[in-house]
């Protein structure tokens, strides 16, 4: 896969994926060293196991303490997003600011030419009917059930071009077997949890446990209103009180705790008046999505063919129309290259401003998304084109 001899830092957590990346690159003949980041309070049992494995492999191990940076760039935004009645995606923020941000910087300080990770994604030459020389870009992994490209949608492409992804064409079960064949003990044998700093993936318990430290008000009780498609603001009906908007997510059914004649779903969280809107299943579908804080991995004048979008990790890309919007400049461009290429190029001074949004119009109705999550745009070849924050 990688033919040129390089000095490569391999980010290892102790799990099977990053351990395999280390073994694979060493066996390919590269000059590798392991790099373990302390993002949260250190687990010395895991660190000792990592030292043992690296000694077995005859690979240098560097442990970098990044707890303060991680708190600033991931944990504090995590709390702030919930304060704003949105649902954060800390893994995407971590990839952007930590793994392919601060950790990449530390790897380069130690002399690494590249940083390898255990992500299931490809970094390969971007090609379509418009261009074949844009350069390397992110593409979905061969194993789509493990593909993690969605979590890289906010990371700048120049940072990702300094990375190596040895698991691009690998299958999880094959990786486990290859490590077993080498009689190497995996420091963290179980699958990694969704949010590394939240024990047992119980974000509600984590928010409550640390609410004083991060000035998180968990007791902002408010009104719950029942709505339907014909309801006007004046006609919405109060049916209960909620326990804080942070405890709900758009599309949620279980745990609402309101007895009603039909199953209720969360339709919207209104920060303005601290109200929760609920309704029937028919009220939680949409054909539209909006995102800001746009990160272009491929400039939009190079997008071609049918475009696809994802508004959550555990869903397939859905065909959609993609518009670039800037209300201040009265700009709206349907990305339909090559017909829109000139229009896009002429307006790059607007497209790259913070006020510019992406509007998505799906071909079919979808379940409503949770504001604060990531929007990821793909092309028909599974290349990741752009990402943003849904709102």
């Amino acid at each position: 896969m990688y033919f040129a001899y390089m000095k490569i830092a391999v980010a290892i957590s102790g799990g099977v994926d990053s351990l395999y990346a280390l073994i694979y690159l060493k066996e390919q003949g590269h000059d590798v060293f392991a790099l373990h980041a302390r993002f949260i309070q250190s687990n010395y049992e895991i660190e000792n196991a990592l030292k043992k494995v690296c000694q077995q492999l005859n690979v240098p191990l560097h442990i970098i303490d990044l707890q303060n940076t991680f708190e600033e760039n991931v944990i504090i935004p995590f709390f702030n997003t919930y304060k704003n009645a949105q649902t954060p995606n800390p893994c995407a923020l971590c990839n952007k600011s930590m793994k392919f941000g601060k950790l990449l910087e530390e790897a380069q300080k130690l002399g690494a030419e590249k940083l390898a990770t255990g992500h299931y994604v490809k970094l390969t030459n971007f090609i379509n009917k418009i261009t074949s020389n844009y350069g390397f870009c992110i593409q979905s992994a061969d194993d789509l059930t493990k593909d993690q490209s969605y979590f890289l949608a906010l990371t700048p492409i120049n940072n990702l071009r300094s990375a190596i992804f040895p698991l691009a064409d690998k299958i999880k079960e094959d990786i486990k077997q290859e490590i077993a064949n080498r009689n190497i003990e995996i420091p963290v044998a179980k699958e990694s949890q969704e949010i590394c700093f939240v024990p047992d993936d119980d974000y509600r318990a984590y928010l409550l446990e640390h609410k004083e430290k991060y000035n998180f008000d968990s007791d902002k009780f408010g009104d719950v209103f029942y709505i339907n498609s014909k309801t006007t603001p004046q006609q919405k009906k109060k049916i209960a009180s909620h326990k804080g908007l942070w405890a709900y997510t758009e599309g949620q059914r279980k745990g609402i705790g309101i007895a009603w004649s039909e199953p209720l779903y969360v339709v919207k969280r209104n920060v303005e008046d601290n109200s929760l809107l609920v309704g029937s299943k028919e009220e939680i579908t949409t054909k539209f999505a909006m995102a800001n804080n746009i990160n272009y991995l491929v400039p939009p004048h190079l997008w071609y063919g049918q475009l696809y979008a994802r508004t959550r990790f555990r869903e397939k890309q859905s065909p959609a129309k993609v518009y670039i919007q800037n209300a201040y400049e009265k700009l709206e461009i349907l990305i339909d290259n090559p017909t829109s290429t000139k229009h896009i190029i002429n307006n790059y001074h607007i497209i790259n401003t913070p006020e510019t949004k992406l509007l998505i119009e799906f071909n079919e109705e979808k379940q409503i998304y949770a504001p604060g999550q990531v929007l990821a745009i793909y092309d028909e070849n599974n290349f990741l084109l752009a990402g943003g924050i849904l709102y």
Side-chain angles (χ1 to χ4, degrees):
M1 183 183 299
Y2 308 103
F3 299 102
Y5 173 85
M6 290 183 286
K7 185 170 184 178
I8 302 172
V10 184
I12 60 169
S13 61
V16 61
D17 296 328
S18 57
L19 181 57
Y20 176 81
L22 178 66
I23 295 169
Y24 176 84
L25 292 171
K26 179 176 174 57
E27 293 181 351
Q28 291 292 304
H30 295 288
D31 178 9
V32 300
F33 64 88
L35 191 59
H36 177 69
R38 290 178 184 160
F39 289 154
I40 55 178
Q41 187 172 2
S42 181
N43 184 325
Y44 292 105
E45 184 177 337
I46 292 176
E47 288 189 5
N48 289 332
L50 286 173
K51 292 175 183 177
K52 183 178 178 181
V53 168
C54 289
Q55 288 173 354
Q56 181 180 351
L57 296 172
N58 193 27
V59 170
L61 170 64
H62 298 272
I63 297 177
I64 308 293
D65 193 317
L66 297 175
Q67 292 181 73
N68 292 338
T69 308
F70 185 81
E71 181 180 39
E72 178 183 347
N73 288 280
V74 180
I75 297 179
I76 291 176
F78 178 82
F79 276 87
N80 289 341
T81 303
Y82 276 112
K83 288 178 185 178
N84 292 325
Q86 296 184 336
T87 304
N89 194 310
C91 294
L93 292 182
C94 180
N95 283 325
K96 173 187 176 181
S97 60
M98 301 302 301
K99 291 178 182 175
F100 302 101
K102 186 61 177 177
L103 191 62
L104 174 60
E105 291 177 10
E106 295 296 330
Q108 292 169 338
K109 288 178 184 178
L110 291 167
E113 300 170 69
K114 298 285 184 179
L115 174 67
T117 72
H119 286 83
Y120 285 86
V121 294
K122 292 181 179 180
L123 184 67
T124 188
N125 190 52
F126 179 78
I127 184 170
N128 60 20
K129 292 185 178 180
I130 294 179
T131 183
S132 62
N133 62 3
Y134 171 64
F136 277 49
C137 196
I138 295 296
Q139 190 178 31
S140 298
D142 284 354
D143 185 353
L144 292 177
T145 63
K146 291 293 183 181
D147 173 58
Q148 294 171 299
S149 59
Y150 176 81
F151 294 115
L152 299 179
L154 304 182
T155 305
I157 186 59
N158 286 339
N159 294 35
L160 293 169
R161 285 174 173 168
S162 295
I164 286 178
F165 302 107
L167 277 58
D169 56 358
K170 304 297 181 182
I171 304 298
K172 183 85 169 191
E173 293 307 313
D174 294 342
I175 287 174
K176 291 180 179 179
Q177 188 59 52
E178 289 194 39
I179 291 181
N181 292 342
R182 291 165 173 78
N183 295 316
I184 296 174
E185 186 175 345
I186 303 169
V188 183
K190 67 177 183 178
E191 287 283 317
S192 60
Q193 58 191 42
E194 290 189 15
I195 305 176
C196 67
F197 59 90
V198 176
D200 302 317
D201 291 327
D202 188 346
Y203 79 90
R204 289 184 173 90
Y206 182 83
L207 290 167
L208 293 174
E209 181 180 354
H210 299 278
K211 64 179 184 179
E212 292 184 3
K213 179 179 180 180
Y214 295 105
N215 192 29
F216 181 74
D217 185 357
S218 63
D219 299 322
K220 296 185 69 172
F221 297 90
D223 296 329
V224 179
F225 294 98
Y226 176 83
I227 64 168
N228 58 39
S229 57
K230 298 179 181 179
T231 302
T232 66
Q234 294 76 25
Q235 294 173 325
K236 62 184 182 181
K237 178 181 180 181
K238 179 181 176 180
I239 61 173
S241 297
H242 67 73
K243 52 191 175 184
L245 295 180
W246 64 272
Y248 304 88
T249 301
E250 281 75 6
Q252 174 184 339
R253 175 185 173 185
K254 295 181 179 180
I256 296 178
I258 301 172
W260 198 248
S261 58
E262 61 181 335
L264 292 177
Y265 297 79
V266 174
V267 178
K268 188 177 181 181
R269 293 172 285 179
N270 277 328
V271 179
E272 293 78 9
D273 61 0
N274 192 35
S275 65
L276 183 71
L277 305 185
V278 299
S280 66
K281 189 174 183 179
E282 288 72 25
E283 305 305 320
I284 60 165
T285 59
T286 184
K287 290 185 70 175
F288 298 94
M290 290 285 291
N292 54 18
N293 297 292
I294 308 304
N295 173 50
Y296 296 105
L297 290 96
V298 177
H301 72 274
L302 295 180
W303 301 3
Y304 181 85
Q306 177 63 62
L307 301 179
Y308 298 81
R310 290 168 71 178
T311 58
R312 52 180 57 85
F313 172 53
R314 300 190 187 283
E315 72 174 8
K316 294 180 180 179
Q317 288 94 277
S318 299
K321 294 178 181 178
V322 180
Y323 297 82
I324 297 175
Q325 282 190 343
N326 189 309
Y328 297 98
E329 301 289 344
K330 298 181 180 179
L331 177 72
E332 179 172 291
I333 303 174
L334 169 63
I335 303 180
D336 187 22
N337 289 329
T339 57
S340 59
T341 300
K342 184 176 180 181
H343 195 21
I344 294 171
I345 292 174
N346 289 341
N347 286 282
Y348 260 117
H349 61 291
I350 298 174
I351 289 171
N352 288 306
T353 62
E355 294 78 22
T356 297
K357 325 291 184 186
L358 288 181
L359 168 64
I360 309 302
E361 181 181 359
F362 291 103
N363 290 4
E364 298 179 350
E365 293 274 343
K366 291 171 53 67
Q367 181 176 315
I368 57 174
Y369 57 85
Q373 284 288 293
V374 171
L375 170 72
I377 307 296
Y378 295 81
D379 70 5
E380 52 199 6
N381 296 315
N382 285 328
F383 277 105
L384 177 62
L385 304 176
I389 304 295
L390 292 158
Y391 72 96

